[in-house]
Each structure stands twice: as C-alpha cells, then as structure tokens.
Amino acid sequence: MKKITKETYINWYKDMLFWRKFEDKLAALYIQQKVRGFLHLYNGQEAVLAGALHVMKENDKMITAYRNHVQPIGLGVDPKRIMAELLGKVTGTSKGMGGSMHIFSPEHNFYGGHGIVGGQIPLGAGLAFADKYFERDGVTLTYFGDGAARQGSLHETFNMAINWKLPVVFICENNGYAMGTSVERTANHEDIWKLGLGYEMPCGPVDGMNPVKVAEAMEEAIERARRGDGPTLLDIKTYRYRGHSMSDAQHYRTKDEVNEYRKIDPITQVLEVIKTKKYATDAQIKTWDKEVKDKVEECQKFAEESPYPEKQQLYDMVYEQEDYPFLKHR
Ligand SMILES: Cc1ncc(C[n+]2csc(CCOP(=O)(O)OP(=O)(O)O)c2C)c(N)n1
Ligand SMILES: [Mg+2]
C-alpha cells in the first residue's frame, strides 16, 4: 500500500473537512429552499471515502446510492459543478437535470448516484464484468447501505460475481440504520459481512470511523480483485450524524447515541494524529480551516450565480425515436 505519511494525514484532514462543510452548506441551502427534493448527507461517513481514495488506482471505478455528493469530489469532479447540480443549475454535472441523488461523471470513473435501494449492486458487478471482458485493468468499488443489503438482487449478484471472479469490491456502508430501521431489527444477527460466507466470498467487518483501517481493508480487497481472485465483501461500520434525509425527525435514536459517535469522529481522529505527531502548528490548521470555508463559499457563489436551464433542455434529455410517427417532442 502507498505509505500513509504526514501528507496523507494533512490531505485527509483538508478533504474530509471540505466534504463535511460542503454538505453543511447544502443543508443550509436546503432550508432556504434553494436545494429542492430529497437531500441525503454523508456527515460522519467521510473516512469510508478517504480510506478508499488512498488505495484506488487510475482505472478503478466507484458506484453508490443517493448519499453521493462527496465521492465525485474525491474523484476529481469540480465541487462547484456539484453544488450547481444540487441547485438545479445548467452548470451542474447533469445540467441541473439530475439533482441530489443522481450525480454522475463517467470521465472521473464515478457511475452514480442511484435512488433505488440496492439498484446499484448489480450495476457495479456489471461495470466489473465489462472491465474483465474487455481485459481492462480496473476494479469497481460498489457501495451500498445496510438497508440495501437486505435486497434480493444482492444474492444474485454475489453468486455471479464470485463464480465469474469479477473485479469488484462490495462495500456495505453500515451506518446502523435504513431510514428509521436499525440493523438489529432487519435480521436475526447484526453481522452483515457474514452474507459473504454462503458464497465463500472473502468478507469481514471494518472500523469505518478510521481512514487507516478502511485503507488497509480496501487495499487487500482491491488487490485481490485486481489479480483475478474475485470479489470481497466489506462490512464497514460507520455512522451518519444527520437524519436519513433532511425531513427526518430521528425518533428512532437518542442524542446520546449520536454524541457517542461524535467522540470517534473521523475528522477529529485525523486531527488528533496531526497534533500529537506535530505535523502542523495550530496556526497552520487555522489557515486550512479558512481555506475550506472560502472554497465552500466559492462553490455557493458559482452555483447561485449560474442560470437555470432553458425549458428547451427538457426535450434534449429524453429519448426520442427518430422515426416516431405521431406528435413530435419539439
Ligand atoms: C427499492 C426501494 N425501496 C425503498 C426505498 C425507500 N428508501 C430510500 S432510502 C431507504 C433506506 C436505505 O438504507 P441504507 O441502505 O442503509 O442506506 P443509508 O440511507 O443508510 O445510506 C429506503 C427504504 C427506495 N428508494 N427503493
Ligand atoms: Mg444505512
């Protein structure tokens, strides 16, 4: 694995803080009704992304559900375009037509952004199949939630992926809840990783609040897939501080529970290493915090000042059969 150095910690801190603040801004814009529809935030889960990015290589891909605003930023998409997409602006990643749940950027190896719970699990295996079929060196990181782990298509996909030794890593981002339903209520045991055992798929639990632990587990899984030994299932234990979406009264958990997880917050953990190892002074850390704040404001300014799409765009983005014999779209 690429060494975890002082620079790694500093980049992790800056990146994770930016993702957190970027989404805090989205929450504020949602309350102002500038972001409409659904909004599912990643607050608390950042280490799962930071650890993965440390070990991913150029041709590796990522696909996830609707909690999908910061992964493309990590893969190199301009965050201004993501904020614009959320505000429905023409400068967005899908010209404002996709919105929060459908961020997409194949040129950055980011394949969405999927609203159907578990819908992306077979799609991730499909991306991996394509890489194997065309003999391309790529591994697909297929993310899904603990709720999605209860979908039937997961089993069909696992069976096929292990049988054909597809270059895919199945990553259950286990944040403890599917909307208001806790993991313990959805099965007779809580170890989602054991779903791999029936397929003799390498599998195990991972501490998802620590990017080092995530990177180590991911490295092993990605390299296994890359050398042709097929998939792994990682049950990454993480937590989301905010509600399922913005309209969640959170009656299913206590404030104390949320605070317990804040004590092991991934950003704080990384900052503690930076401080104890004296990787930076307090003044330097303050400068980074200010840089993050400014970058978020720049995104907001860009998104707010961008125009909405022309109405005509609606017709450009639907499938239209060339020889359709009846009324034309335009
Ligand atoms: C097939 C399907 N069933 C139900 C829903 C409604 N729904 C949206 S999110 C969600 C919970 C999913 O939880 P989980 O997979 O744990 O992901 P998390 O939101 O925790 O990231 C449900 C039931 C849906 N979008 N699609
Ligand atoms: Mg969940």
Short mmCIF file of all heavy atoms in Angstrom, two decimals, residues 100-147:
data_model
loop_
_atom_site.label_atom_id
_atom_site.label_comp_id
_atom_site.label_asym_id
_atom_site.label_seq_id
_atom_site.Cartn_x
_atom_site.Cartn_y
_atom_site.Cartn_z
N SER A 100 -29.74 16.07 -6.49
CA SER A 100 -29.00 15.46 -5.39
C SER A 100 -28.70 13.97 -5.55
O SER A 100 -27.59 13.53 -5.27
CB SER A 100 -29.78 15.67 -4.09
OG SER A 100 -29.34 14.81 -3.09
N MET A 101 -29.68 13.19 -5.98
CA MET A 101 -29.50 11.73 -5.93
C MET A 101 -28.79 11.15 -7.15
O MET A 101 -28.54 9.95 -7.20
CB MET A 101 -30.85 11.03 -5.77
CG MET A 101 -31.50 11.32 -4.44
SD MET A 101 -32.64 10.03 -3.97
CE MET A 101 -34.10 10.55 -4.83
N HIS A 102 -28.51 11.98 -8.13
CA HIS A 102 -28.01 11.43 -9.40
C HIS A 102 -26.77 12.13 -9.91
O HIS A 102 -26.69 12.50 -11.08
CB HIS A 102 -29.11 11.47 -10.45
CG HIS A 102 -30.36 10.79 -10.00
ND1 HIS A 102 -30.43 9.43 -9.86
CD2 HIS A 102 -31.55 11.29 -9.61
CE1 HIS A 102 -31.64 9.12 -9.41
NE2 HIS A 102 -32.33 10.21 -9.24
N ILE A 103 -25.79 12.29 -9.05
CA ILE A 103 -24.52 12.86 -9.53
C ILE A 103 -23.83 11.75 -10.34
O ILE A 103 -23.85 10.58 -9.96
CB ILE A 103 -23.62 13.29 -8.34
CG1 ILE A 103 -24.38 14.17 -7.35
CG2 ILE A 103 -22.35 13.98 -8.86
CD1 ILE A 103 -24.78 15.54 -7.83
N PHE A 104 -23.24 12.14 -11.44
CA PHE A 104 -22.69 11.16 -12.38
C PHE A 104 -21.52 11.81 -13.10
O PHE A 104 -21.61 12.96 -13.51
CB PHE A 104 -23.77 10.81 -13.40
CG PHE A 104 -23.77 9.37 -13.84
CD1 PHE A 104 -24.51 8.43 -13.15
CD2 PHE A 104 -23.02 8.97 -14.95
CE1 PHE A 104 -24.50 7.10 -13.55
CE2 PHE A 104 -23.01 7.64 -15.35
CZ PHE A 104 -23.76 6.71 -14.65
N SER A 105 -20.42 11.11 -13.26
CA SER A 105 -19.32 11.64 -14.06
C SER A 105 -18.42 10.50 -14.52
O SER A 105 -17.39 10.22 -13.91
CB SER A 105 -18.51 12.68 -13.27
OG SER A 105 -17.59 13.29 -14.14
N PRO A 106 -18.84 9.81 -15.60
CA PRO A 106 -18.06 8.67 -16.05
C PRO A 106 -16.61 9.03 -16.36
O PRO A 106 -15.71 8.21 -16.17
CB PRO A 106 -18.78 8.18 -17.30
CG PRO A 106 -19.96 9.04 -17.49
CD PRO A 106 -20.03 10.05 -16.40
N GLU A 107 -16.38 10.29 -16.82
CA GLU A 107 -14.98 10.66 -17.12
C GLU A 107 -14.12 10.68 -15.86
O GLU A 107 -12.90 10.61 -15.93
CB GLU A 107 -14.85 11.92 -17.96
CG GLU A 107 -15.53 13.19 -17.62
CD GLU A 107 -17.04 13.30 -17.72
OE1 GLU A 107 -17.79 12.28 -17.80
OE2 GLU A 107 -17.50 14.44 -17.67
N HIS A 108 -14.74 10.73 -14.69
CA HIS A 108 -13.99 10.64 -13.43
C HIS A 108 -14.18 9.27 -12.78
O HIS A 108 -13.94 9.10 -11.58
CB HIS A 108 -14.45 11.73 -12.45
CG HIS A 108 -14.16 13.11 -12.94
ND1 HIS A 108 -15.04 13.83 -13.72
CD2 HIS A 108 -13.07 13.90 -12.78
CE1 HIS A 108 -14.52 15.01 -14.01
NE2 HIS A 108 -13.32 15.08 -13.46
N ASN A 109 -14.71 8.32 -13.54
CA ASN A 109 -14.96 6.96 -13.03
C ASN A 109 -16.00 6.92 -11.92
O ASN A 109 -15.97 6.05 -11.05
CB ASN A 109 -13.67 6.30 -12.54
CG ASN A 109 -12.79 5.92 -13.71
OD1 ASN A 109 -13.29 5.59 -14.79
ND2 ASN A 109 -11.49 5.97 -13.52
N PHE A 110 -16.92 7.89 -11.95
CA PHE A 110 -18.00 7.89 -10.96
C PHE A 110 -19.33 7.59 -11.66
O PHE A 110 -19.80 8.36 -12.49
CB PHE A 110 -18.07 9.24 -10.22
CG PHE A 110 -19.07 9.18 -9.11
CD1 PHE A 110 -18.83 8.41 -7.98
CD2 PHE A 110 -20.29 9.84 -9.20
CE1 PHE A 110 -19.77 8.30 -6.96
CE2 PHE A 110 -21.23 9.75 -8.18
CZ PHE A 110 -20.95 8.98 -7.06
N TYR A 111 -19.93 6.45 -11.31
CA TYR A 111 -21.10 5.95 -12.02
C TYR A 111 -22.40 6.09 -11.23
O TYR A 111 -23.28 5.26 -11.31
CB TYR A 111 -20.84 4.50 -12.45
CG TYR A 111 -19.82 4.43 -13.57
CD1 TYR A 111 -18.46 4.47 -13.31
CD2 TYR A 111 -20.23 4.41 -14.90
CE1 TYR A 111 -17.53 4.46 -14.33
CE2 TYR A 111 -19.31 4.40 -15.95
CZ TYR A 111 -17.96 4.43 -15.64
OH TYR A 111 -17.05 4.44 -16.67
N GLY A 112 -22.51 7.15 -10.44
CA GLY A 112 -23.76 7.47 -9.75
C GLY A 112 -23.77 6.96 -8.35
O GLY A 112 -23.01 6.09 -8.02
N GLY A 113 -24.72 7.52 -7.69
CA GLY A 113 -25.90 8.31 -7.82
C GLY A 113 -27.12 7.45 -8.17
O GLY A 113 -27.64 7.65 -9.26
N HIS A 114 -27.64 6.54 -7.27
CA HIS A 114 -28.81 5.72 -7.60
C HIS A 114 -29.84 5.75 -6.47
O HIS A 114 -29.50 5.52 -5.32
CB HIS A 114 -28.36 4.28 -7.86
CG HIS A 114 -27.44 4.19 -9.06
ND1 HIS A 114 -27.90 3.95 -10.33
CD2 HIS A 114 -26.11 4.39 -9.17
CE1 HIS A 114 -26.89 3.99 -11.19
NE2 HIS A 114 -25.79 4.26 -10.50
N GLY A 115 -31.09 6.01 -6.85
CA GLY A 115 -32.14 6.20 -5.85
C GLY A 115 -32.87 4.94 -5.46
O GLY A 115 -33.55 4.90 -4.43
N ILE A 116 -32.78 3.89 -6.27
CA ILE A 116 -33.45 2.63 -5.95
C ILE A 116 -32.54 1.85 -5.01
O ILE A 116 -31.42 1.49 -5.38
CB ILE A 116 -33.73 1.81 -7.23
CG1 ILE A 116 -34.62 2.59 -8.20
CG2 ILE A 116 -34.37 0.46 -6.88
CD1 ILE A 116 -35.97 3.00 -7.67
N VAL A 117 -33.04 1.61 -3.80
CA VAL A 117 -32.18 0.98 -2.80
C VAL A 117 -31.67 -0.38 -3.30
O VAL A 117 -32.45 -1.26 -3.64
CB VAL A 117 -32.95 0.81 -1.46
CG1 VAL A 117 -32.19 -0.08 -0.50
CG2 VAL A 117 -33.16 2.19 -0.83
N GLY A 118 -30.36 -0.51 -3.39
CA GLY A 118 -29.74 -1.76 -3.87
C GLY A 118 -29.63 -1.83 -5.38
O GLY A 118 -28.99 -2.74 -5.91
N GLY A 119 -30.21 -0.88 -6.08
CA GLY A 119 -30.21 -0.92 -7.55
C GLY A 119 -28.81 -0.92 -8.14
O GLY A 119 -28.56 -1.46 -9.22
N GLN A 120 -27.87 -0.29 -7.43
CA GLN A 120 -26.51 -0.17 -7.96
C GLN A 120 -25.67 -1.41 -7.72
O GLN A 120 -24.56 -1.51 -8.24
CB GLN A 120 -25.83 1.07 -7.37
CG GLN A 120 -25.32 0.94 -5.94
CD GLN A 120 -26.43 1.10 -4.90
OE1 GLN A 120 -27.61 1.06 -5.21
NE2 GLN A 120 -26.05 1.27 -3.65
N ILE A 121 -26.17 -2.37 -6.93
CA ILE A 121 -25.33 -3.55 -6.62
C ILE A 121 -25.08 -4.38 -7.90
O ILE A 121 -23.93 -4.61 -8.26
CB ILE A 121 -25.94 -4.40 -5.47
CG1 ILE A 121 -26.12 -3.53 -4.20
CG2 ILE A 121 -25.05 -5.61 -5.17
CD1 ILE A 121 -26.86 -4.22 -3.06
N PRO A 122 -26.14 -4.78 -8.62
CA PRO A 122 -25.87 -5.49 -9.88
C PRO A 122 -25.17 -4.61 -10.91
O PRO A 122 -24.35 -5.11 -11.69
CB PRO A 122 -27.25 -5.92 -10.38
CG PRO A 122 -28.26 -5.32 -9.49
CD PRO A 122 -27.57 -4.80 -8.26
N LEU A 123 -25.45 -3.32 -10.91
CA LEU A 123 -24.79 -2.43 -11.88
C LEU A 123 -23.27 -2.40 -11.64
O LEU A 123 -22.48 -2.38 -12.58
CB LEU A 123 -25.35 -1.00 -11.80
CG LEU A 123 -26.84 -0.84 -12.16
CD1 LEU A 123 -27.25 0.62 -12.00
CD2 LEU A 123 -27.11 -1.31 -13.58
N GLY A 124 -22.89 -2.40 -10.37
CA GLY A 124 -21.46 -2.40 -10.03
C GLY A 124 -20.79 -3.67 -10.54
O GLY A 124 -19.68 -3.63 -11.09
N ALA A 125 -21.48 -4.79 -10.39
CA ALA A 125 -20.92 -6.05 -10.90
C ALA A 125 -20.85 -5.99 -12.42
O ALA A 125 -19.93 -6.54 -13.04
CB ALA A 125 -21.76 -7.23 -10.43
N GLY A 126 -21.81 -5.31 -13.03
CA GLY A 126 -21.81 -5.15 -14.49
C GLY A 126 -20.61 -4.35 -14.97
O GLY A 126 -19.98 -4.70 -15.98
N LEU A 127 -20.30 -3.29 -14.25
CA LEU A 127 -19.11 -2.48 -14.61
C LEU A 127 -17.86 -3.35 -14.50
O LEU A 127 -16.97 -3.29 -15.35
CB LEU A 127 -18.98 -1.29 -13.66
CG LEU A 127 -19.99 -0.15 -13.84
CD1 LEU A 127 -19.97 0.79 -12.63
CD2 LEU A 127 -19.70 0.63 -15.11
N ALA A 128 -17.82 -4.16 -13.44
CA ALA A 128 -16.66 -5.05 -13.24
C ALA A 128 -16.60 -6.10 -14.34
O ALA A 128 -15.52 -6.44 -14.84
CB ALA A 128 -16.74 -5.72 -11.86
N PHE A 129 -17.76 -6.61 -14.73
CA PHE A 129 -17.79 -7.59 -15.82
C PHE A 129 -17.21 -6.99 -17.10
O PHE A 129 -16.41 -7.62 -17.80
CB PHE A 129 -19.24 -8.07 -16.08
CG PHE A 129 -19.34 -9.02 -17.24
CD1 PHE A 129 -19.01 -10.35 -17.08
CD2 PHE A 129 -19.70 -8.56 -18.50
CE1 PHE A 129 -19.07 -11.23 -18.17
CE2 PHE A 129 -19.75 -9.43 -19.59
CZ PHE A 129 -19.44 -10.77 -19.41
N ALA A 130 -17.60 -5.75 -17.39
CA ALA A 130 -17.10 -5.08 -18.60
C ALA A 130 -15.58 -4.98 -18.56
O ALA A 130 -14.90 -5.25 -19.55
CB ALA A 130 -17.74 -3.70 -18.74
N ASP A 131 -15.03 -4.61 -17.39
CA ASP A 131 -13.57 -4.49 -17.28
C ASP A 131 -12.90 -5.84 -17.51
O ASP A 131 -11.86 -5.92 -18.16
CB ASP A 131 -13.18 -3.94 -15.90
CG ASP A 131 -13.25 -2.41 -15.86
OD1 ASP A 131 -13.23 -1.79 -16.94
OD2 ASP A 131 -13.34 -1.86 -14.75
N LYS A 132 -13.50 -6.89 -16.99
CA LYS A 132 -12.90 -8.22 -17.17
C LYS A 132 -13.01 -8.65 -18.64
O LYS A 132 -12.05 -9.11 -19.24
CB LYS A 132 -13.62 -9.23 -16.25
CG LYS A 132 -12.97 -10.59 -16.27
CD LYS A 132 -13.57 -11.52 -15.24
CE LYS A 132 -13.08 -12.93 -15.46
NZ LYS A 132 -12.26 -13.42 -14.38
N TYR A 133 -14.20 -8.44 -19.19
CA TYR A 133 -14.48 -8.87 -20.57
C TYR A 133 -13.55 -8.18 -21.57
O TYR A 133 -13.02 -8.80 -22.48
CB TYR A 133 -15.93 -8.55 -20.89
CG TYR A 133 -16.43 -9.09 -22.20
CD1 TYR A 133 -16.82 -10.43 -22.31
CD2 TYR A 133 -16.53 -8.28 -23.32
CE1 TYR A 133 -17.29 -10.94 -23.50
CE2 TYR A 133 -17.00 -8.78 -24.53
CZ TYR A 133 -17.37 -10.11 -24.61
OH TYR A 133 -17.82 -10.61 -25.80
N PHE A 134 -13.36 -6.87 -21.37
CA PHE A 134 -12.51 -6.12 -22.29
C PHE A 134 -11.04 -6.09 -21.85
O PHE A 134 -10.23 -5.33 -22.38
CB PHE A 134 -13.04 -4.69 -22.45
CG PHE A 134 -14.36 -4.63 -23.17
CD1 PHE A 134 -15.52 -4.24 -22.52
CD2 PHE A 134 -14.45 -5.00 -24.52
CE1 PHE A 134 -16.74 -4.21 -23.19
CE2 PHE A 134 -15.67 -4.97 -25.19
CZ PHE A 134 -16.82 -4.59 -24.53
N GLU A 135 -10.74 -6.91 -20.85
CA GLU A 135 -9.37 -7.05 -20.32
C GLU A 135 -8.76 -5.70 -19.95
O GLU A 135 -7.62 -5.39 -20.31
CB GLU A 135 -8.49 -7.81 -21.32
CG GLU A 135 -9.00 -9.21 -21.53
CD GLU A 135 -8.20 -10.00 -22.55
OE1 GLU A 135 -7.28 -9.46 -23.17
OE2 GLU A 135 -8.51 -11.19 -22.72
N ARG A 136 -9.57 -4.87 -19.26
CA ARG A 136 -9.07 -3.59 -18.76
C ARG A 136 -8.71 -3.78 -17.29
O ARG A 136 -9.34 -4.54 -16.59
CB ARG A 136 -10.15 -2.50 -18.90
CG ARG A 136 -10.50 -2.20 -20.34
CD ARG A 136 -11.49 -1.05 -20.42
NE ARG A 136 -12.76 -1.35 -19.76
CZ ARG A 136 -13.94 -1.21 -20.33
NH1 ARG A 136 -14.05 -0.80 -21.57
NH2 ARG A 136 -15.04 -1.48 -19.66
N ASP A 137 -7.69 -3.05 -16.90
CA ASP A 137 -7.23 -3.19 -15.52
C ASP A 137 -8.02 -2.23 -14.63
O ASP A 137 -7.60 -1.12 -14.38
CB ASP A 137 -5.73 -2.87 -15.48
CG ASP A 137 -5.26 -2.53 -14.09
OD1 ASP A 137 -5.62 -3.26 -13.16
OD2 ASP A 137 -4.56 -1.50 -13.93
N GLY A 138 -9.17 -2.62 -14.17
CA GLY A 138 -9.97 -1.75 -13.30
C GLY A 138 -10.74 -2.56 -12.28
O GLY A 138 -11.13 -3.71 -12.55
N VAL A 139 -10.93 -1.98 -11.11
CA VAL A 139 -11.72 -2.64 -10.06
C VAL A 139 -12.88 -1.69 -9.74
O VAL A 139 -12.69 -0.48 -9.67
CB VAL A 139 -10.85 -2.87 -8.81
CG1 VAL A 139 -11.67 -3.43 -7.66
CG2 VAL A 139 -9.67 -3.80 -9.14
N THR A 140 -14.06 -2.24 -9.56
CA THR A 140 -15.22 -1.40 -9.25
C THR A 140 -15.57 -1.49 -7.78
O THR A 140 -15.86 -2.57 -7.26
CB THR A 140 -16.44 -1.80 -10.11
OG1 THR A 140 -16.08 -1.71 -11.49
CG2 THR A 140 -17.62 -0.88 -9.84
N LEU A 141 -15.54 -0.36 -7.12
CA LEU A 141 -15.96 -0.27 -5.72
C LEU A 141 -17.47 -0.03 -5.71
O LEU A 141 -17.93 1.03 -6.14
CB LEU A 141 -15.22 0.88 -5.02
CG LEU A 141 -13.87 0.52 -4.43
CD1 LEU A 141 -12.91 0.00 -5.49
CD2 LEU A 141 -13.26 1.73 -3.75
N THR A 142 -18.21 -1.04 -5.26
CA THR A 142 -19.67 -0.96 -5.27
C THR A 142 -20.17 -0.75 -3.84
O THR A 142 -20.10 -1.65 -3.01
CB THR A 142 -20.24 -2.26 -5.87
OG1 THR A 142 -19.72 -2.40 -7.19
CG2 THR A 142 -21.75 -2.24 -5.92
N TYR A 143 -20.62 0.46 -3.58
CA TYR A 143 -21.09 0.83 -2.24
C TYR A 143 -22.60 0.63 -2.12
O TYR A 143 -23.34 0.90 -3.06
CB TYR A 143 -20.81 2.31 -1.98
CG TYR A 143 -19.37 2.65 -1.70
CD1 TYR A 143 -18.48 2.89 -2.73
CD2 TYR A 143 -18.91 2.77 -0.39
CE1 TYR A 143 -17.15 3.23 -2.47
CE2 TYR A 143 -17.59 3.12 -0.12
CZ TYR A 143 -16.72 3.34 -1.16
OH TYR A 143 -15.42 3.68 -0.90
N PHE A 144 -23.04 0.22 -0.95
CA PHE A 144 -24.49 0.16 -0.66
C PHE A 144 -24.68 0.22 0.85
O PHE A 144 -23.74 0.00 1.62
CB PHE A 144 -25.12 -1.11 -1.24
CG PHE A 144 -24.41 -2.39 -0.85
CD1 PHE A 144 -24.79 -3.09 0.29
CD2 PHE A 144 -23.35 -2.86 -1.60
CE1 PHE A 144 -24.13 -4.25 0.67
CE2 PHE A 144 -22.67 -4.03 -1.22
CZ PHE A 144 -23.06 -4.72 -0.08
N GLY A 145 -25.89 0.52 1.27
CA GLY A 145 -26.17 0.66 2.70
C GLY A 145 -26.56 -0.65 3.36
O GLY A 145 -26.74 -1.67 2.69
N ASP A 146 -26.69 -0.59 4.68
CA ASP A 146 -27.12 -1.78 5.43
C ASP A 146 -28.55 -2.17 5.05
O ASP A 146 -28.89 -3.35 5.04
CB ASP A 146 -27.04 -1.51 6.94
CG ASP A 146 -27.60 -0.15 7.31
OD1 ASP A 146 -26.87 0.85 7.14
OD2 ASP A 146 -28.77 -0.08 7.73
N GLY A 147 -29.38 -1.16 4.71
CA GLY A 147 -30.74 -1.47 4.27
C GLY A 147 -30.72 -2.17 2.93
O GLY A 147 -31.43 -3.17 2.71
#
